[in-house]
Amino acid sequence: MKKNRFIVIVVLLVVLVSLLVTNLVNTRKRHVGQGRIVVGAVIDLTGPIAMYGNWMKDGAELALEHWNAIDGNEDAILLVQDSQSDVKKGVSAFQYLLANNDGVPAVLIGPNSSTVLACAPLANKSKVVLFTPTASSPNISNSGEFIFRNRSSGAQEMIELARVISEKFQIKEVGFIALNNDAGIAYEQAFVSAFETRGGQVLQTELLDLGVADFRTQVFKMKNANIDAVVLGSPAKEAATVIKQAAELNYKPKWFSATPIENPTLIEIAGSFADGLVYVAETVDHNNPLFSDFAQKFMDKFGYEPNVFCANAYDGTTILLQAIVSSHGKPDQMLQYLHSLDEYNGVAGKQAFDKQGDVVKKLSVKTVKNGTFQIFTKP
Amino acid sequence: MEQLFLNGILVGLLISLISLSVYPVICLVRFFHFAHAVVIAAGAYFSFLLSRCFGWPMGIAIPLAILLSAGLGCLMEVAVYKPLRKREAKPIVFILASLGLYTVLQNVISLVFGDDTKSIRTGPVREGLNFLGARITPIQIITIVTAIVVVVGLLLFMKYTRLGKAMRTVANDANLARVVGIDSDRVIMWAFAIGSGLAGLAGILMALDTDMTPTMGMRPFMMGIVAMIIGGKDSIIGIVLGALLLAFAQQYGAYYLGSEWQDAIAFAILLIFLLFRPQGFLGKKV
């Protein structure tokens, strides 16, 4: 009996000490005013969605380089962890950043929405700002007060796409092919809701697994159901494979999609069968001098033309660095700073965060024509 | 429905090819050689390197890529598995070593070629040919014919050649094989060479049809293993039947239940076989 009581007391003491230590870690001033600012980054640099991750990393690195080149700025470093397009590895990487380096005040994260959502409870609990310039799941909007993004929400894109399909194309029945993960399902739900409100109907939904290359059964089901218009709510590689395999099955519906489709992979895989695809996308203004200057520097450093994901990452990193400096790394003051941003003028355009940490951006309707991505003019 | 049937045949024969590529290795070394999954991807990337980077014609690039894949398998045997066998390492050590090999080599492919999709397709995307009401592309016809040739070839090889007979003897009892003068290390090396060559070939066929990524090998490898367990690992015909059952169940399951059930269907079949017929279709009951 005495022995059991002793064990209980020891366990309680261990728990108490752990809680105290955790609290100390969470409340201490993080990495500001010690000669350098440390920003964490959990990015999918390898795996099926690595292309988006590498765009994000390049944008963030250039932002950091520019920040460090400005006289008077405290030196900043980016601690990048590869989440390997795997949610579990992303969470481990995030936990590593929280536990080491005295705890980072903010973490850039993306592009996998599921990883952002899995890390969100930890970020809220640890009072670490989680900022994504690339993840678009509508569910991120409700994932907590410490979660921010400057990538437009997939819900916003799907609502606009529903409007385009029903108003511009007068199409009332579509099929939906989504990625079988949090982002894909949320895209589908947002689209169905918006489309049905406009009197449309989603006749069939098919799901794709990330990293799989054979979607013939899903495509065949769409073909067999005589569906003439299909919305693709997936990254470019999977969408392109669907279009290619549909063409091989002599199935050529009208294809619709959103921002992630604007990726050279689409043309490489689907070839001319991608022509005519219409999509709603977040775009950058090439006439904006801020973007032109950024694009030139980006091209000089990385040797390729930056896209909206690179631009978002550049802006996101700069915003985070400014927030950390203004708030001295104090979590609540960082939130105040981010919410107080009134139309931050970045390379990707003007941005302001709403109560849920989302930005509302102007979307464009675009199309694929002769293997290039162009502004859509008329059906 | 003709299309669904054709898809089942195509996927089933591709799984057969992968399953048969790992068959000689698993029969002889008796552990799940996970690194075989990276050999599938390596075959595709070798052909990409030779045809796209070096500009060699596909007629030369593909056979060379198959040889390089066979060489990669042999290298794994010489550098990792053989020394472990000499030390009489436990089965778990072999499995961990093969997982380690898989991870390292898959990352090497990612580092060298990047994670984006690469293609070795030679022409533009075209509509499939009409065949009995279903559509099929030329590369899918080649895949089906190749898989049938491999099945027949492997059957004849195992039954009628000296090396095939030696493999069966080592697979049955390595000690007995040694007593009758068979050099089991040499036979195992040949098993790695043949199996890895076939894995490379499967990877190339997959890449010609659906392009390539560094992780492309693991899922088909797992399906190949499931097919082997369902079919019975001692029987080539059993493995082919297992692969076809698996493919048809997945295709029809995805059509009638939903594509998200494909993997669940595969592993449900595996569980049923493990519980009620662990030796598989045509495997021998121990």
Side-chain angles (χ1 to χ4, degrees), chain A residues 11-35:
Chain A
V11 169
L12 283 173
L13 272 173
V14 169
V15 171
L16 196 66
V17 170
S18 307
L19 286 172
L20 280 171
V21 170
T22 311
N23 196 39
L24 278 173
V25 168
N26 287 342
T27 52
R28 83 162 156 252
K29 192 177 165 187
R30 292 158 170 146
H31 268 301
V32 180
Q34 299 167 3

PDB file of all heavy atoms in Angstrom, chain A residues 11-35:
ATOM      1  N   VAL A  11       4.791   9.876  -9.684  1.00  0.00           N
ATOM      2  CA  VAL A  11       4.185  10.161 -11.006  1.00  0.00           C
ATOM      3  C   VAL A  11       3.623  11.579 -11.024  1.00  0.00           C
ATOM      4  O   VAL A  11       3.842  12.354 -11.969  1.00  0.00           O
ATOM      5  CB  VAL A  11       3.084   9.128 -11.342  1.00  0.00           C
ATOM      6  CG1 VAL A  11       2.281   9.560 -12.564  1.00  0.00           C
ATOM      7  CG2 VAL A  11       3.701   7.760 -11.567  1.00  0.00           C
ATOM      8  N   LEU A  12       2.924  11.952  -9.928  1.00  0.00           N
ATOM      9  CA  LEU A  12       2.352  13.302  -9.867  1.00  0.00           C
ATOM     10  C   LEU A  12       3.439  14.369  -9.925  1.00  0.00           C
ATOM     11  O   LEU A  12       3.291  15.399 -10.590  1.00  0.00           O
ATOM     12  CB  LEU A  12       1.524  13.467  -8.583  1.00  0.00           C
ATOM     13  CG  LEU A  12       0.135  12.807  -8.621  1.00  0.00           C
ATOM     14  CD1 LEU A  12      -0.525  12.889  -7.250  1.00  0.00           C
ATOM     15  CD2 LEU A  12      -0.748  13.480  -9.668  1.00  0.00           C
ATOM     16  N   LEU A  13       4.540  14.109  -9.208  1.00  0.00           N
ATOM     17  CA  LEU A  13       5.651  15.063  -9.217  1.00  0.00           C
ATOM     18  C   LEU A  13       6.230  15.226 -10.623  1.00  0.00           C
ATOM     19  O   LEU A  13       6.506  16.342 -11.066  1.00  0.00           O
ATOM     20  CB  LEU A  13       6.756  14.590  -8.259  1.00  0.00           C
ATOM     21  CG  LEU A  13       6.601  15.044  -6.806  1.00  0.00           C
ATOM     22  CD1 LEU A  13       7.658  14.384  -5.936  1.00  0.00           C
ATOM     23  CD2 LEU A  13       6.709  16.556  -6.701  1.00  0.00           C
ATOM     24  N   VAL A  14       6.384  14.071 -11.300  1.00  0.00           N
ATOM     25  CA  VAL A  14       6.936  14.111 -12.668  1.00  0.00           C
ATOM     26  C   VAL A  14       6.024  14.931 -13.574  1.00  0.00           C
ATOM     27  O   VAL A  14       6.472  15.791 -14.338  1.00  0.00           O
ATOM     28  CB  VAL A  14       7.124  12.670 -13.232  1.00  0.00           C
ATOM     29  CG1 VAL A  14       7.434  12.715 -14.722  1.00  0.00           C
ATOM     30  CG2 VAL A  14       8.226  11.954 -12.480  1.00  0.00           C
ATOM     31  N   VAL A  15       4.694  14.675 -13.448  1.00  0.00           N
ATOM     32  CA  VAL A  15       3.726  15.400 -14.277  1.00  0.00           C
ATOM     33  C   VAL A  15       3.808  16.898 -13.985  1.00  0.00           C
ATOM     34  O   VAL A  15       3.839  17.745 -14.890  1.00  0.00           O
ATOM     35  CB  VAL A  15       2.294  14.865 -14.047  1.00  0.00           C
ATOM     36  CG1 VAL A  15       1.254  15.750 -14.728  1.00  0.00           C
ATOM     37  CG2 VAL A  15       2.187  13.431 -14.551  1.00  0.00           C
ATOM     38  N   LEU A  16       3.876  17.228 -12.678  1.00  0.00           N
ATOM     39  CA  LEU A  16       3.924  18.628 -12.260  1.00  0.00           C
ATOM     40  C   LEU A  16       5.162  19.329 -12.820  1.00  0.00           C
ATOM     41  O   LEU A  16       5.088  20.438 -13.373  1.00  0.00           O
ATOM     42  CB  LEU A  16       3.928  18.685 -10.723  1.00  0.00           C
ATOM     43  CG  LEU A  16       3.588  20.038 -10.102  1.00  0.00           C
ATOM     44  CD1 LEU A  16       2.137  20.398 -10.416  1.00  0.00           C
ATOM     45  CD2 LEU A  16       3.802  19.995  -8.596  1.00  0.00           C
ATOM     46  N   VAL A  17       6.303  18.664 -12.665  1.00  0.00           N
ATOM     47  CA  VAL A  17       7.557  19.254 -13.162  1.00  0.00           C
ATOM     48  C   VAL A  17       7.488  19.430 -14.683  1.00  0.00           C
ATOM     49  O   VAL A  17       7.885  20.471 -15.224  1.00  0.00           O
ATOM     50  CB  VAL A  17       8.772  18.376 -12.759  1.00  0.00           C
ATOM     51  CG1 VAL A  17      10.044  18.837 -13.462  1.00  0.00           C
ATOM     52  CG2 VAL A  17       8.963  18.412 -11.252  1.00  0.00           C
ATOM     53  N   SER A  18       6.918  18.405 -15.378  1.00  0.00           N
ATOM     54  CA  SER A  18       6.795  18.493 -16.847  1.00  0.00           C
ATOM     55  C   SER A  18       5.951  19.696 -17.239  1.00  0.00           C
ATOM     56  O   SER A  18       6.287  20.443 -18.151  1.00  0.00           O
ATOM     57  CB  SER A  18       6.142  17.239 -17.413  1.00  0.00           C
ATOM     58  OG  SER A  18       6.822  16.121 -16.972  1.00  0.00           O
ATOM     59  N   LEU A  19       4.822  19.876 -16.510  1.00  0.00           N
ATOM     60  CA  LEU A  19       3.931  21.000 -16.829  1.00  0.00           C
ATOM     61  C   LEU A  19       4.646  22.334 -16.615  1.00  0.00           C
ATOM     62  O   LEU A  19       4.534  23.254 -17.427  1.00  0.00           O
ATOM     63  CB  LEU A  19       2.669  20.943 -15.960  1.00  0.00           C
ATOM     64  CG  LEU A  19       1.652  19.869 -16.348  1.00  0.00           C
ATOM     65  CD1 LEU A  19       0.548  19.775 -15.299  1.00  0.00           C
ATOM     66  CD2 LEU A  19       1.032  20.190 -17.707  1.00  0.00           C
ATOM     67  N   LEU A  20       5.397  22.420 -15.513  1.00  0.00           N
ATOM     68  CA  LEU A  20       6.127  23.655 -15.217  1.00  0.00           C
ATOM     69  C   LEU A  20       7.149  23.963 -16.311  1.00  0.00           C
ATOM     70  O   LEU A  20       7.262  25.086 -16.791  1.00  0.00           O
ATOM     71  CB  LEU A  20       6.844  23.541 -13.862  1.00  0.00           C
ATOM     72  CG  LEU A  20       5.964  23.770 -12.635  1.00  0.00           C
ATOM     73  CD1 LEU A  20       6.723  23.409 -11.366  1.00  0.00           C
ATOM     74  CD2 LEU A  20       5.523  25.236 -12.574  1.00  0.00           C
ATOM     75  N   VAL A  21       7.894  22.910 -16.688  1.00  0.00           N
ATOM     76  CA  VAL A  21       8.923  23.082 -17.722  1.00  0.00           C
ATOM     77  C   VAL A  21       8.280  23.506 -19.041  1.00  0.00           C
ATOM     78  O   VAL A  21       8.716  24.439 -19.711  1.00  0.00           O
ATOM     79  CB  VAL A  21       9.733  21.778 -17.897  1.00  0.00           C
ATOM     80  CG1 VAL A  21      10.631  21.855 -19.124  1.00  0.00           C
ATOM     81  CG2 VAL A  21      10.571  21.514 -16.658  1.00  0.00           C
ATOM     82  N   THR A  22       7.160  22.821 -19.399  1.00  0.00           N
ATOM     83  CA  THR A  22       6.457  23.143 -20.641  1.00  0.00           C
ATOM     84  C   THR A  22       6.008  24.598 -20.635  1.00  0.00           C
ATOM     85  O   THR A  22       6.147  25.335 -21.601  1.00  0.00           O
ATOM     86  CB  THR A  22       5.219  22.236 -20.802  1.00  0.00           C
ATOM     87  OG1 THR A  22       5.621  20.906 -20.572  1.00  0.00           O
ATOM     88  CG2 THR A  22       4.602  22.368 -22.171  1.00  0.00           C
ATOM     89  N   ASN A  23       5.469  25.013 -19.475  1.00  0.00           N
ATOM     90  CA  ASN A  23       4.984  26.378 -19.348  1.00  0.00           C
ATOM     91  C   ASN A  23       6.115  27.386 -19.515  1.00  0.00           C
ATOM     92  O   ASN A  23       5.981  28.402 -20.190  1.00  0.00           O
ATOM     93  CB  ASN A  23       4.319  26.531 -17.981  1.00  0.00           C
ATOM     94  CG  ASN A  23       3.469  27.788 -17.941  1.00  0.00           C
ATOM     95  OD1 ASN A  23       2.824  28.097 -18.931  1.00  0.00           O
ATOM     96  ND2 ASN A  23       3.482  28.488 -16.832  1.00  0.00           N
ATOM     97  N   LEU A  24       7.262  27.045 -18.900  1.00  0.00           N
ATOM     98  CA  LEU A  24       8.424  27.940 -19.017  1.00  0.00           C
ATOM     99  C   LEU A  24       8.855  28.066 -20.478  1.00  0.00           C
ATOM    100  O   LEU A  24       9.149  29.156 -20.962  1.00  0.00           O
ATOM    101  CB  LEU A  24       9.596  27.400 -18.185  1.00  0.00           C
ATOM    102  CG  LEU A  24       9.551  27.736 -16.699  1.00  0.00           C
ATOM    103  CD1 LEU A  24      10.674  26.998 -15.975  1.00  0.00           C
ATOM    104  CD2 LEU A  24       9.694  29.247 -16.498  1.00  0.00           C
ATOM    105  N   VAL A  25       8.860  26.918 -21.155  1.00  0.00           N
ATOM    106  CA  VAL A  25       9.274  26.928 -22.568  1.00  0.00           C
ATOM    107  C   VAL A  25       8.314  27.796 -23.380  1.00  0.00           C
ATOM    108  O   VAL A  25       8.715  28.596 -24.215  1.00  0.00           O
ATOM    109  CB  VAL A  25       9.292  25.488 -23.142  1.00  0.00           C
ATOM    110  CG1 VAL A  25       9.430  25.507 -24.662  1.00  0.00           C
ATOM    111  CG2 VAL A  25      10.453  24.712 -22.536  1.00  0.00           C
ATOM    112  N   ASN A  26       7.019  27.644 -23.089  1.00  0.00           N
ATOM    113  CA  ASN A  26       6.031  28.361 -23.892  1.00  0.00           C
ATOM    114  C   ASN A  26       6.009  29.855 -23.629  1.00  0.00           C
ATOM    115  O   ASN A  26       5.627  30.629 -24.494  1.00  0.00           O
ATOM    116  CB  ASN A  26       4.635  27.805 -23.633  1.00  0.00           C
ATOM    117  CG  ASN A  26       4.475  26.450 -24.261  1.00  0.00           C
ATOM    118  OD1 ASN A  26       5.250  26.098 -25.134  1.00  0.00           O
ATOM    119  ND2 ASN A  26       3.500  25.696 -23.799  1.00  0.00           N
ATOM    120  N   THR A  27       6.370  30.251 -22.440  1.00  0.00           N
ATOM    121  CA  THR A  27       6.215  31.664 -22.116  1.00  0.00           C
ATOM    122  C   THR A  27       7.514  32.459 -22.259  1.00  0.00           C
ATOM    123  O   THR A  27       7.482  33.672 -22.199  1.00  0.00           O
ATOM    124  CB  THR A  27       5.693  31.856 -20.679  1.00  0.00           C
ATOM    125  OG1 THR A  27       6.528  31.103 -19.818  1.00  0.00           O
ATOM    126  CG2 THR A  27       4.250  31.396 -20.571  1.00  0.00           C
ATOM    127  N   ARG A  28       8.621  31.769 -22.408  1.00  0.00           N
ATOM    128  CA  ARG A  28       9.860  32.556 -22.453  1.00  0.00           C
ATOM    129  C   ARG A  28       9.984  33.318 -23.772  1.00  0.00           C
ATOM    130  O   ARG A  28       9.392  32.956 -24.791  1.00  0.00           O
ATOM    131  CB  ARG A  28      11.067  31.660 -22.218  1.00  0.00           C
ATOM    132  CG  ARG A  28      11.525  30.949 -23.434  1.00  0.00           C
ATOM    133  CD  ARG A  28      12.933  30.474 -23.206  1.00  0.00           C
ATOM    134  NE  ARG A  28      13.139  29.355 -24.088  1.00  0.00           N
ATOM    135  CZ  ARG A  28      13.225  28.106 -23.676  1.00  0.00           C
ATOM    136  NH1 ARG A  28      13.104  27.809 -22.410  1.00  0.00           N
ATOM    137  NH2 ARG A  28      13.422  27.152 -24.529  1.00  0.00           N
ATOM    138  N   LYS A  29      10.703  34.392 -23.688  1.00  0.00           N
ATOM    139  CA  LYS A  29      10.891  35.240 -24.855  1.00  0.00           C
ATOM    140  C   LYS A  29      11.701  34.463 -25.886  1.00  0.00           C
ATOM    141  O   LYS A  29      12.717  33.864 -25.568  1.00  0.00           O
ATOM    142  CB  LYS A  29      11.659  36.489 -24.405  1.00  0.00           C
ATOM    143  CG  LYS A  29      11.687  37.574 -25.427  1.00  0.00           C
ATOM    144  CD  LYS A  29      12.419  38.742 -24.811  1.00  0.00           C
ATOM    145  CE  LYS A  29      12.815  39.722 -25.875  1.00  0.00           C
ATOM    146  NZ  LYS A  29      13.652  40.777 -25.344  1.00  0.00           N
ATOM    147  N   ARG A  30      11.190  34.436 -27.127  1.00  0.00           N
ATOM    148  CA  ARG A  30      11.795  33.534 -28.083  1.00  0.00           C
ATOM    149  C   ARG A  30      12.708  34.231 -29.085  1.00  0.00           C
ATOM    150  O   ARG A  30      12.248  34.963 -29.942  1.00  0.00           O
ATOM    151  CB  ARG A  30      10.715  32.811 -28.856  1.00  0.00           C
ATOM    152  CG  ARG A  30       9.927  31.833 -27.996  1.00  0.00           C
ATOM    153  CD  ARG A  30       8.624  31.627 -28.695  1.00  0.00           C
ATOM    154  NE  ARG A  30       7.900  30.542 -28.073  1.00  0.00           N
ATOM    155  CZ  ARG A  30       6.603  30.520 -27.988  1.00  0.00           C
ATOM    156  NH1 ARG A  30       5.881  31.506 -28.446  1.00  0.00           N
ATOM    157  NH2 ARG A  30       6.002  29.507 -27.429  1.00  0.00           N
ATOM    158  N   HIS A  31      13.961  33.970 -28.991  1.00  0.00           N
ATOM    159  CA  HIS A  31      14.898  34.274 -30.068  1.00  0.00           C
ATOM    160  C   HIS A  31      14.829  35.658 -30.660  1.00  0.00           C
ATOM    161  O   HIS A  31      14.997  35.808 -31.863  1.00  0.00           O
ATOM    162  CB  HIS A  31      14.700  33.272 -31.202  1.00  0.00           C
ATOM    163  CG  HIS A  31      15.609  32.112 -31.046  1.00  0.00           C
ATOM    164  ND1 HIS A  31      16.949  32.254 -31.003  1.00  0.00           N
ATOM    165  CD2 HIS A  31      15.331  30.816 -30.907  1.00  0.00           C
ATOM    166  CE1 HIS A  31      17.484  31.058 -30.847  1.00  0.00           C
ATOM    167  NE2 HIS A  31      16.525  30.166 -30.778  1.00  0.00           N
ATOM    168  N   VAL A  32      14.513  36.609 -29.893  1.00  0.00           N
ATOM    169  CA  VAL A  32      14.552  37.969 -30.430  1.00  0.00           C
ATOM    170  C   VAL A  32      15.430  38.787 -29.515  1.00  0.00           C
ATOM    171  O   VAL A  32      15.408  38.624 -28.310  1.00  0.00           O
ATOM    172  CB  VAL A  32      13.141  38.571 -30.510  1.00  0.00           C
ATOM    173  CG1 VAL A  32      13.199  39.979 -31.077  1.00  0.00           C
ATOM    174  CG2 VAL A  32      12.274  37.705 -31.387  1.00  0.00           C
ATOM    175  N   GLY A  33      16.230  39.654 -30.125  1.00  0.00           N
ATOM    176  CA  GLY A  33      17.116  40.485 -29.343  1.00  0.00           C
ATOM    177  C   GLY A  33      18.356  39.753 -28.887  1.00  0.00           C
ATOM    178  O   GLY A  33      19.093  40.227 -28.062  1.00  0.00           O
ATOM    179  N   GLN A  34      18.585  38.539 -29.409  1.00  0.00           N
ATOM    180  CA  GLN A  34      19.800  37.791 -29.048  1.00  0.00           C
ATOM    181  C   GLN A  34      20.775  37.810 -30.216  1.00  0.00           C
ATOM    182  O   GLN A  34      21.643  36.959 -30.325  1.00  0.00           O
ATOM    183  CB  GLN A  34      19.429  36.340 -28.721  1.00  0.00           C
ATOM    184  CG  GLN A  34      18.491  36.232 -27.555  1.00  0.00           C
ATOM    185  CD  GLN A  34      17.890  34.833 -27.450  1.00  0.00           C
ATOM    186  OE1 GLN A  34      18.209  33.937 -28.208  1.00  0.00           O
ATOM    187  NE2 GLN A  34      17.021  34.665 -26.475  1.00  0.00           N
ATOM    188  N   GLY A  35      20.585  38.741 -31.132  1.00  0.00           N
ATOM    189  CA  GLY A  35      21.500  38.830 -32.266  1.00  0.00           C
ATOM    190  C   GLY A  35      20.973  38.191 -33.517  1.00  0.00           C
ATOM    191  O   GLY A  35      21.495  38.396 -34.585  1.00  0.00           O
TER     192      GLY A  35
END
